[in-house]
Amino acid sequence: MSDNRKEMLDFCLKCSICHTQCPMVAKNPSYPGPKHLGPEAERLRLTGKNPSRDEQNKYLSYCLNCKRCDEACPHGVKPSVYNVKNKTSINNAGQESLRDWILAHNDWWGRIAGKMPGVSNFFLKNPFIKTGMSLLGIAPQRSFPAYKSKKLKIARDTKDKKAVYFRGCYARSNEPDIAQSVIKLLEYAGYQVEIAPLGCCGTPVISNGLMTEAKKIAEKNIQTLCQYVEKGYKIVSSCPSCTLTLKEEYDEFFDIPGSKKVSQSVWDIFELLLHDNVEFPGSNKKFSRVIYHVPCHLKAQGIGTPAANLIRKYVVNSLKVMDKYCCGISGTFGFKKEKYDLSMKIGNDLFEEIKKEPYSLVLTDCGTCKLQIEQGTGLHVIHPVVILAETIEK
Amino acid sequence: MGNWFKVIIIGGGATGTGILRDLALRGVDCLLLEKEDFATGTSGRFHGLLHSGARYAVKDPHSAEECIQENKILKQIAPGCVEDTGGLFVATGEDDLAYSEKWLEGCKNAGIEVQEISPQEALLEEPRLAKNIKKVYRVPDAAIDGFRLCAANVRSAEKKGAQARNYTEVIDIIKEGNKVKGVIAKDLVTGKEEEIYCDMIINAAGAWAGKIAAMAGVDVNIVPDKGVLVVFNHRFTKNVINRLRPPGDGDIFVPHGSVTIFGTTSRETTDPEDNGATKEDVLALLGEGRKLIPDLDEIRLIRAFAGVRPLYQPDGGGTGRNATRDFSLIDHEKEAGITGMVSVVGGKLTTFRLMANAVSDYVCTILKIPGESVTDQEPLVDDFCRLKPNSKKEFLCQCEQVTEDMLLEAVEGKKRISLSDVRRLTRLGMGPCQGTFCTFRAAGFYQKQKKLSVSQVNAMLEEHVQERWKGNHPVLWGGQAQEAEITRGVYLSLLNLDKLERCDGNV
Ligand SMILES: Cc1cc2nc3c(=O)[nH]c(=O)nc-3n(C[C@H](O)[C@H](O)[C@H](O)COP(=O)(O)OP(=O)(O)OC[C@H]3O[C@@H](n4cnc5c(N)ncnc54)[C@H](O)[C@@H]3O)c2cc1C
Ligand code: SF4
Ligand code: SF4
């Protein structure tokens, strides 16, 4: 793997095309950019004594891991991969690393909070708690997602087509309606559905540079999912970051047996529905003028925008697809006090675009993109599975 | 008197600048003349290895002793020029282990510290090494930056009042009977010629020493010996890697700054300016290199270049690798009855200080100047044109991290701005893009800062692009071929470089 990385470093032709696509470069001129922080600095890191090393590494925590640079590179270099790998080496101040650890473990908090959502939500809005968070380095302006628990309904019959649903943190702890919609869609498409007995995919841990822990999570997930794959299940997810992590990141960062097998069986929910040519009843389209934000991690999968295809066909009359902007939250990034303003600044182009017209619906697949857009526009944002599932009511 | 110096030194390589520093530290009024920039001769076209002496342990024991002595001194006095990487001698599957016995014996006699490590341990430390290695020894090799070293010598000497002029060529030697009185020097920037007098000339012109000697009517038989080197885009070993066998072609990898320099070859040539490399040289080298580093072809090559060894052959001795790597001091009074001039030839960059010390001692005795050399004690002034940790300025050369501050520092007090000179001090344009993106940026920067004319800037651009191209074309495949297409696109299409207005006013 590491040799492979060195190869990518030699592939960089310095054309700087990646820089033109980096949302952080656009809004933070002091950010060195993907080429420099990635292949260029990596070459200098090999010298073992690069005087500006610490200076550079400081910026690693500013990389949004949006992967727009990887997509842009005409020569197959993946600058974001260097950034993620090297984040591990940043020596954060004690307080910052505690804060990052807390944010990286939203999964745990979600599980605890999900058991008593009322109390948790009260605390998340409580001004004293907010002050405490601020002291820890968590942005006090940030609205936290509410916690919600719900018993999911799953049909018990056996079918030939089988799917295991990897819920991810958000659909599990914050918006179980998403999970219910996915189950409904899969069952409608003729699948026997099971929910993977798994927690976080590891994205927040990876993006905070906690690679040892991320590897443990990956091992557990791969091991469990492998068993499903062997029994003929397709792995389905509705969260673009989970999907991307399962499809690519495990393979990119860790050498875990079975990871190829798993990654080849992972589907985005809409990707699968489209692949299976599933027809939906709703011919009377309920909505006109809808805007859909394509999350960076969906774009990075290189599967196009299957959600948009289905939504356009069955649910809305005119759909505007926005894949030009990163919303700026980048998982836990936008929750960090010193990064909050920048996060909003990056999202601003998207917010402006959404506010430009009186859209009747704002859609996006990603839980944290949703939070960011809601924070930036004041509008309610919905996962496309929810409205597609509504067409098969009753 | 502006045109009289006690001593004139000809040649601004490691040897000449080393002598300048040595004499200046003794308080001698001296002048160095160099026809190009400092370290553009062999001292800037070498392997970058601060020898531990182990390479010469069998064939050239005296050289080996000198090397280890100087290796220790330079690590002390020039930390800014030397990187103490450490070195390994590695016997591969096809190397004769009988040689390693002789070699160990030689190292011991020369006083070179050698430590055997197991192949397993070596592979952990250097995973790129071939798996079939049989024996590995650790030696105190290091990497040394020849550009910085020569500039540091000059700066150290200037601090003590000595003078050094680059772009000043010695075109003739003034003699009165059998006595050398001075030189005729030509300023290559203005074209002005000048007579400069002195009590003593030291000919330190390296591979050109024969030509200088001829101007004084004496004979110094230099056999120029050309060696080709290739540069890889990044470092892939921590240590200098030497092949444990009798010295041959393609058996040393030196991790040098951000790159790896690999070579070299040894071919007799007739012209000291013969410093181009060919694709055939490169391919032959890679063939040897793969025996130490099997996946060599996966690593991007960015350049190839050649240097010319100033091997000295008094009367029909060996040539090439058989010639001695010792240095020789020739007193032309003793040899040919010509007074007022000595020549110093041969040697290695590693032993430049020792050579300078010996020559300076010799000359000071003739000139009855008291005192002794302190060059082994006095630290070199070698902290210049470096990236300061808190430098806020933008990188104009991103590959090698060169800032505006560094560019300004590099041309302080210079009578002419050349990007190649700047490159030697800062590493501008030495990275993977080979000047594609920094050449125009730096040219624009200097134009603004130094109010250069358009045609001056055009000439500056063209010179640097051509110079980089010279080193690129022998390695034009894979990544570097693609990079060259970008360079072509930028300079020939976008900037229309070959049709630009030149300094001479022609369009
Ligand atoms: C391929 C190769 C690899 C090498 N690798 C190593 C190594 O790894 N380690 C090591 O220790 N040694 C190495 N050497 C040897 C070492 O580089 C040389 O011995 C050393 O650099 C010679 O320095 P110098 O000052 O004597 O000559 P030079 O550096 O050549 O200096 C002579 C200078 O005189 C100038 N000059 C010539 N004519 C005139 C004139 N008419 N007027 C004014 N100036 C003039 C030239 O421009 C030149 O700059 C290597 C040599 C080669 C060729
Ligand atoms: S991943 Fe996104 S933020 Fe990070 S360097 Fe690449 S484009 Fe920029
Ligand atoms: S786009 Fe790719 S090749 Fe171009 S600078 Fe960025 S990483 Fe290098």
Side-chain angles (χ1 to χ4, degrees):
Chain A
M1 187 72 245
S2 62
D3 284 353
N4 191 3
R5 240 189 347 145
K6 294 211 181 87
E7 232 172 79
M8 298 197 308
L9 161 153
D10 277 353
F11 276 128
C12 176
L13 294 176
K14 311 284 156 184
C15 66
S16 296
I17 289 173
C18 51
H19 280 209
T20 66
Q21 298 302 310
C22 174
M24 188 53 79
V25 167
K27 293 295 155 77
N28 179 9
S30 56
Y31 183 66
K35 170 194 73 163
H36 191 60
L37 214 46
E40 215 154 68
E42 189 69 4
R43 183 175 162 268
L44 298 169
R45 281 183 199 110
L46 291 172
T47 67
K49 55 158 194 191
N50 167 19
S52 68
R53 219 166 127 202
D54 300 333
E55 177 84 3
Q56 304 269 308
N57 284 351
K58 191 177 84 196
Y59 286 108
L60 285 171
S61 72
Y62 282 82
C63 171
L64 302 165
N65 194 26
C66 68
K67 308 206 170 286
R68 288 176 180 257
C69 48
D70 302 4
E71 292 153 37
C73 177
H75 219 221
V77 183
K78 292 184 174 179
S80 79
V81 173
Y82 294 101
N83 293 353
V84 171
K85 288 223 173 185
N86 288 314
K87 267 183 191 172
T88 328
S89 65
I90 320 174
N91 297 319
N92 272 343
Q95 186 213 27
E96 227 171 78
S97 59
L98 172 64
R99 186 267 320 267
D100 290 358
W101 190 90
I102 292 175
L103 288 173
H105 293 81
N106 57 344
D107 158 33
W108 295 13
W109 309 119
R111 269 194 230 195
I112 298 164
K115 298 222 160 56
M116 35 180 187
V119 184
S120 309
N121 292 335
F122 168 77
F123 275 116
L124 284 175
K125 294 203 174 92
N126 184 307
F128 290 107
I129 298 284
K130 286 247 162 196
T131 315
M133 286 189 185
S134 170
L135 286 175
L136 266 173
I138 296 174
Q141 310 93 312
R142 179 62 71 187
S143 315
F144 274 76
Y147 288 107
K148 200 170 162 194
S149 74
K150 179 174 174 176
K151 191 130 184 64
L152 299 173
K153 281 185 280 183
I154 306 181
R156 290 274 159 245
D157 43 355
T158 2
K159 290 189 186 140
D160 286 349
K161 297 207 295 184
K162 295 181 194 337
V164 57
Y165 175 39
F166 188 94
R167 266 185 305 177
C169 304
Y170 188 80
R172 192 190 54 212
S173 306
N174 304 101
E175 230 183 300
D177 288 348
I178 295 177
Q180 188 61 69
S181 302
V182 171
I183 295 167
K184 204 152 123 191
L185 289 169
L186 285 171
E187 286 174 348
Y188 177 79
Y191 283 90
Q192 173 188 327
V193 183
E194 213 171 297
I195 296 196
L198 292 167
C200 182
C201 67
T203 305
V205 196
I206 291 176
S207 67
N208 281 289
L210 305 167
M211 293 310 257
T212 329
E213 193 184 339
K215 187 166 184 198
K216 282 198 197 119
I217 296 176
E219 275 162 352
K220 184 179 168 204
N221 288 348
I222 287 173
Q223 202 190 16
T224 309
L225 292 172
C226 234
Q227 291 164 3
Y228 279 102
V229 174
E230 277 156 14
K231 285 187 265 171
Y233 280 76
K234 289 191 164 107
I235 304 162
V236 179
S237 171
S238 53
C239 165
S241 296
C242 296
T243 318
L244 182 70
T245 303
L246 296 170
K247 279 183 175 176
E248 288 180 19
E249 309 270 272
Y250 291 166
D251 214 41
E252 190 84 68
F253 297 121
F254 317 112
D255 196 12
I256 303 173
S259 75
K260 271 258 149 39
K261 199 191 259 176
V262 167
S263 65
Q264 285 161 357
S265 313
V266 177
W267 296 78
D268 167 81
I269 172 71
F270 291 105
E271 181 191 14
L272 182 64
L273 296 174
L274 211 59
H275 171 268
D276 284 4
N277 287 317
V278 182
E279 301 274 339
F280 290 88
S283 58
N284 55 337
K285 295 184 182 174
K286 278 216 304 219
F287 301 96
S288 57
R289 289 235 260 201
V290 172
I291 187 161
Y292 169 52
H293 162 67
V294 182
C296 297
H297 284 177
L298 180 68
K299 206 177 164 197
Q301 289 171 41
I303 54 170
T305 51
N309 294 12
L310 287 168
I311 294 294
R312 193 177 267 135
K313 194 161 170 197
Y314 297 108
V315 192
V316 305
N317 276 318
S318 111
L319 179 70
K320 175 149 190 173
V321 178
M322 290 300 308
D323 69 352
K324 196 164 142 199
Y325 301 114
C326 169
C327 76
I329 196 166
S330 175
T332 59
F333 178 88
F335 285 85
K336 299 176 182 174
K337 199 170 158 185
E338 75 283 8
K339 287 160 180 140
Y340 177 82
D341 286 341
L342 197 52
S343 157
M344 297 309 279
K345 204 165 142 192
I346 291 170
N348 201 48
D349 293 333
L350 175 64
F351 306 154
E352 290 302 313
E353 197 69 46
I354 292 173
K355 287 192 288 190
K356 220 156 66 185
E357 283 184 50
Y359 291 108
S360 59
L361 266 186
V362 185
L363 301 175
T364 195
D365 314 60
C366 166
T368 48
C369 292
K370 169 190 155 104
L371 289 176
Q372 175 82 337
I373 297 169
E374 291 185 340
Q375 178 116 22
T377 62
L379 298 169
H380 182 52
V381 180
I382 297 175
H383 195 301
V385 288
V386 176
I387 53 164
L388 185 62
E390 279 172 6
T391 64
I392 47 175
E393 213 60 70
K394 281 147 318 247
Chain B
M1 256 202 296
N3 67 344
W4 184 88
F5 292 83
K6 192 86 186 160
V7 178
I8 290 177
I9 301 145
I10 305 172
T15 314
T17 58
I19 297 169
L20 185 74
R21 169 169 171 265
D22 196 305
L23 291 174
L25 289 178
R26 298 176 199 230
V28 180
D29 178 25
C30 47
L31 168 72
L32 181 144
L33 301 172
E34 162 59 53
K35 72 179 163 66
E36 293 183 55
D37 191 23
F38 310 116
T40 38
T42 314
S43 303
R45 304 187 142 271
F46 78 126
H47 210 143
L49 170 61
L50 179 65
H51 282 284
S52 59
R55 182 169 175 83
Y56 305 112
V58 175
K59 207 179 252 167
D60 217 340
H62 185 241
S63 239
E65 260 174 64
E66 289 178 350
C67 281
I68 185 62
Q69 176 196 330
E70 290 304 305
N71 173 295
K72 287 180 184 160
I73 293 173
L74 290 178
K75 282 177 186 171
Q76 290 300 322
I77 64 162
C81 302
V82 175
E83 190 190 338
D84 197 356
T85 55
L88 300 179
F89 271 76
V90 180
T92 70
E94 62 181 66
D95 297 326
D96 180 11
L97 288 184
Y99 179 76
S100 64
E101 295 308 317
K102 272 193 274 176
W103 177 81
L104 276 171
E105 186 64 26
C107 288
K108 199 170 145 215
N109 293 338
I112 302 162
E113 218 180 286
V114 177
Q115 183 205 348
E116 177 163 12
I117 61 174
S118 69
Q120 289 80 351
E121 196 183 329
L123 283 168
L124 272 182
E125 199 171 321
E126 303 291 3
R128 291 235 169 192
L129 279 176
K131 304 285 173 279
N132 70 344
I133 53 177
K134 290 191 295 198
K135 286 258 175 208
V136 185
Y137 298 92
R138 200 186 286 291
V139 299
D141 281 342
I144 184 162
D145 181 337
F147 304 129
R148 187 165 278 277
L149 177 75
C150 294
N153 276 333
V154 169
R155 280 167 201 238
S156 305
E158 282 175 342
K159 263 198 151 170
K160 296 285 173 187
Q163 286 187 37
R165 296 187 200 158
N166 56 0
Y167 297 107
T168 307
E169 181 173 6
V170 171
I171 54 170
D172 210 350
I173 290 199
I174 307 167
K175 266 193 349 190
E176 238 178 58
N178 279 344
K179 189 165 170 35
V180 170
K181 304 290 283 185
V183 299
I184 301 178
K186 181 174 181 183
D187 182 324
L188 297 181
V189 179
T190 60
K192 233 180 76 192
E193 290 175 16
E194 185 188 3
E195 295 179 359
I196 313 174
Y197 294 92
C198 62
D199 283 357
M200 177 67 71
I201 289 178
I202 301 176
N203 171 16
W208 295 260
K211 299 196 170 178
I212 299 291
M215 293 177 193
V218 292
D219 210 27
V220 170
N221 188 24
I222 295 286
V223 187
D225 183 75
K226 175 168 154 178
V228 173
L229 292 154
V230 295
V231 185
F232 289 96
N233 183 28
H234 64 260
R235 286 167 83 123
F236 45 85
T237 61
K238 298 186 186 75
N239 296 275
V240 173
I241 307 289
N242 302 269
R243 185 118 169 239
L244 182 51
R245 65 167 190 196
D249 284 357
D251 48 12
I252 310 179
F253 289 88
V254 181
H256 199 270
S258 50
V259 300
T260 301
I261 308 180
F262 166 61
T264 169
T265 57
S266 172
R267 307 271 178 278
E268 218 179 298
T269 169
T270 46
D271 182 5
E273 312 269 346
D274 175 18
N275 57 22
T278 65
K279 188 173 165 184
E280 288 65 38
D281 293 325
V282 175
L283 293 178
L285 276 176
L286 292 179
E288 279 304 313
R290 275 180 224 119
K291 293 174 188 161
L292 276 171
I293 311 276
D295 62 356
L296 209 52
D297 297 300
E298 284 172 22
I299 310 164
R300 174 161 152 196
L301 276 170
I302 52 179
R303 227 180 146 69
F305 64 96
V308 179
R309 292 181 191 86
L311 298 185
Y312 174 57
Q313 208 180 16
D315 30 42
T319 57
R321 289 223 156 78
N322 294 318
T324 170
R325 300 292 162 98
D326 270 2
F327 66 89
S328 307
L329 204 173
I330 307 153
D331 182 344
H332 299 295
E333 186 178 1
K334 285 189 187 153
E335 302 260 316
I338 303 288
T339 61
M341 175 158 132
V342 297
S343 294
V344 55
V345 287
K348 273 174 295 296
L349 188 123
T350 302
T351 54
F352 86 93
R353 194 210 60 84
L354 187 68
M355 292 161 72
N357 189 340
V359 178
S360 304
D361 279 351
Y362 193 85
V363 167
C364 286
T365 311
I366 300 177
L367 298 177
K368 303 198 173 52
I369 300 169
E372 54 187 39
S373 178
V374 289
T375 52
D376 58 342
Q377 304 293 330
E378 192 79 14
L380 247 86
V381 180
D382 62 4
D383 192 26
F384 47 83
C385 296
R386 281 198 190 283
L387 183 61
K388 312 276 182 305
N390 49 6
S391 176
K392 290 221 171 47
K393 296 276 163 54
E394 206 191 327
F395 293 133
L396 289 186
C397 164
Q398 293 185 314
C399 306
E400 293 290 334
Q401 303 206 313
V402 184
T403 60
E404 295 179 358
D405 298 349
M406 288 161 76
L407 290 190
L408 286 178
E409 203 185 332
V411 297
E412 250 165 50
K414 293 273 158 87
K415 54 185 168 188
R416 141 179 205 262
I417 299 177
S418 135
L419 292 182
S420 288
D421 295 358
V422 171
R423 185 185 72 243
R424 282 184 277 274
L425 292 177
T426 60
R427 294 193 60 80
L428 175 93
M430 287 197 178
C433 90
Q434 287 287 297
T436 305
F437 297 100
C438 57
T439 301
F440 64 80
R441 282 196 202 122
F445 174 74
Y446 282 128
Q447 192 279 327
K448 212 158 123 197
Q449 291 287 328
K450 302 284 171 187
K451 313 257 172 327
L452 305 178
S453 71
V454 171
S455 57
Q456 273 173 318
V457 176
N458 290 348
M460 196 158 132
L461 271 177
E462 190 179 357
E463 181 273 332
H464 202 235
V465 172
Q466 286 300 351
E467 195 285 335
R468 295 284 81 190
W469 171 245
K470 180 178 170 195
N472 289 156
H473 75 81
V475 295
L476 281 194
W477 53 83
Q480 217 48 33
Q482 289 160 322
E483 193 73 67
E485 285 311 310
I486 297 184
T487 315
R488 199 195 302 274
V490 170
Y491 290 95
L492 294 182
S493 301
L494 265 176
L495 297 178
N496 215 10
L497 191 65
D498 56 347
K499 307 247 166 49
L500 290 180
E501 187 187 328
R502 295 295 145 70
C503 254
D504 55 10
N506 295 333
V507 178

